[in-house]
Amino acid sequence: MTDLQQKVNSILIHICKTDAPAQNPELDLFANGLLDSFGVVELLIEVENQLGLSVAITDFDRETWRTPRQIASQLEALQ
């Protein structure tokens, strides 16, 4: 697991209030009710605060940010 993935997991654990995202990198956060529109905003704020990566809400695509692994992959592409 990369450092970025660990940081993403930490952020998701905080937002989702469960360690399920860290346990399963393919977990569909939306389908399982762990992430909603408010959670997405919080996620993007935390990504900027903790990782220094700015992601506009208009650049957020639910299909490509659905799982912890996909989130880390999207953020890795921004580095």
Side-chain angles (χ1 to χ4, degrees):
M1 182 180 307
T2 68
D3 186 48
L4 178 63
Q5 183 67 52
Q6 289 176 338
K7 289 178 182 176
V8 167
N9 285 344
S10 177
I11 292 169
L12 289 172
I13 288 168
H14 170 73
I15 293 169
C16 299
K17 301 189 181 4
T18 178
D19 68 346
Q23 301 301 319
N24 181 0
E26 297 302 327
L27 179 66
D28 187 323
L29 300 168
F30 295 100
N32 287 286
L34 297 174
L35 204 56
D36 59 13
S37 57
F38 292 113
V40 167
V41 172
E42 189 175 358
L43 171 65
L44 298 181
I45 290 169
E46 289 301 315
V47 162
E48 186 163 2
N49 289 342
Q50 293 188 35
L51 304 176
L53 298 171
S54 181
V55 180
I57 193 72
T58 55
D59 293 334
F60 182 89
D61 176 16
R62 190 173 172 155
E63 292 304 313
T64 58
W65 291 70
R66 187 165 288 288
T67 70
R69 186 180 314 277
Q70 288 176 310
I71 292 169
S73 177
Q74 292 297 314
L75 294 174
E76 191 173 84
L78 292 174
Q79 288 185 322

